[in-house]
Amino acid sequence: MRKFLTLMMLATTLLVACEPSNEEQPKATLKIMSEVEMSFTADGGEGVILYELSNYTGTTPISVECSAEWIVLLGVEADSVKFEVKRSVVEEPREAIITLSIEDLTESVKVKQAAAEPLKADVEFVAKVLNGSYYGTAYTPEIGSLFYQVILSDNGAPAELEFKPNSIYYYFGIFSDQTADESNPKVPNGVYFFDNTYSFQPGVFDDSFSAYYISNDTECNWQPFIDGRIEVSDNHIDAMVTLADGTVHHITYDGDLTLTYPKNSSLSGDYNFSMTDAYIEAWNYGDYYAAGGNNWLVYVYPDYEVGTGEGFWLDIIAHDYNEQSIAGEYICKESFETGVFFPGFTAAGIYYGSWYIDYEDFQPKGEKLAPLIDGSIKITDSEEGTAALSIEGIDDSGNKITCQITGNIDYYNFSDFE
């Protein structure tokens, strides 16, 4: 009997040991181990959030979010989050929330920054003229931010990096996420902070494209910016920048925010004329643009002897590599391919592309100028040593320029110097 009871007790023990446990697995927890409210001076700096994730068995990584543009998230580690608070130029305190989350667990840290001391401007400048260009993503194809070159001055900019004598210019290279109407681009509203890290992110103006220029009768000097802030609202720009010499400039502008330059054309309407007995020089620079045909600069002078009067500069890419012919039909296009002539423009006081132009002794006189920014050109070879050109162009004021040209042509080969 004792043996039987012992067996029964053993069986009971085994049954009890095999029953499932009613104890629950510990719940996952997310806890901030550092301060839940962090304070920074106006100078900003780097901060670290320490956290502890316990009893988590999943594979989802920690998510960190902050909507404030003045806080930059630097990295997430297994137990910490690093971030940077940008230096403030805002004359009032500001605060933001950094949120850590994983699945249904969420914790947050408040970041506070003191107000900046009011800047006292050494120079107050009221801009009278706004010029500039919209380049879209031309400089940021991988990032996708949109680039606006904004120029504020007292006398206007004839073109980018062209300066009138005794004038002051402030260049701002602004990056935004707001798309412009390319036919009528305007400076986008927003607040932009100076950036010298080449981030090209929306909300900055970059020191690669931003500087202060001042000209006299003979030269133009410049200084880079080392800090600043721009605020753009409807028909108004307010900028505060610090130059490399430490001076603070306050720049304001009120008016139309359309980005444009003065028209280069001197024509007041459509112009139709002809040239007979013209003298044409065609300079071959080989396949300069790797487009599959020779690049030619074609100079059309009124005559061979004096070279005074109206004519053309043309910049074309021929259809082939023929060194003794530029025959073909060409369209105005800003791309490196055969069968195009480049539109006319100026940069740093130099003429590029294709132009209707006034000559004096074979040199541009400058009284009559008109860039060809659209249209077509047909060039035919006649007898040996002669050519005919039919030009139908449009200048930057919308004027039509048509011209029938016949004359002698000389070909020059500079392809060895490309």
Side-chain angles (χ1 to χ4, degrees), residues 79-257:
D79 59 357
S80 65
V81 174
K82 293 182 179 180
F83 64 95
E84 177 190 7
V85 175
K86 294 182 180 180
R87 195 176 76 81
S88 178
V89 293
V90 180
E91 296 173 14
E92 57 186 23
R94 57 186 180 181
E95 60 182 50
I97 299 295
I98 299 178
T99 302
L100 286 66
S101 61
I102 184 168
E103 295 186 0
D104 60 346
L105 303 175
T106 300
E107 292 290 331
S108 62
V109 171
K110 180 182 289 187
V111 179
K112 303 173 71 174
Q113 187 174 32
E117 291 292 330
L119 280 177
K120 294 182 179 180
D122 301 297
V123 175
E124 291 282 351
F125 181 81
V126 179
K128 298 178 181 178
V129 185
L130 180 145
N131 300 115
S133 301
Y134 172 63
Y135 290 96
T137 59
Y139 292 99
T140 57
E142 296 181 357
I143 298 174
S145 54
L146 304 165
F147 178 56
Y148 297 76
Q149 182 71 77
V150 180
I151 305 169
L152 296 177
S153 67
D154 51 357
N155 288 321
E160 194 164 321
L161 293 178
E162 286 192 27
F163 309 101
K164 293 182 179 179
N166 304 306
S167 301
I168 293 174
Y169 299 89
Y170 294 88
Y171 272 63
F172 300 106
I174 288 175
F175 290 90
S176 173
D177 57 4
Q178 300 180 48
T179 305
D181 176 359
E182 295 194 13
S183 65
N184 189 40
K186 295 180 179 290
V187 187
N189 288 353
V191 179
Y192 305 91
F193 295 87
F194 177 76
D195 178 58
N196 62 357
T197 66
Y198 311 108
S199 71
F200 307 133
Q201 294 295 322
V204 307
F205 66 102
D206 184 88
D207 71 341
S208 301
F209 307 94
S210 305
Y212 166 75
Y213 298 86
I214 182 168
S215 65
N216 55 31
D217 288 327
T218 58
E219 62 181 1
C220 186
N221 296 309
W222 73 285
Q223 278 197 64
F225 301 144
I226 60 172
D227 205 356
R229 177 178 183 269
I230 307 168
E231 185 171 353
V232 182
S233 55
D234 292 343
N235 297 320
H236 180 72
I237 296 177
D238 190 297
M240 188 79 80
V241 294
T242 303
L243 273 55
D245 63 4
T247 59
V248 177
H249 290 224
H250 183 213
I251 308 103
T252 56
Y253 169 80
D254 289 285
D256 186 7
L257 298 186

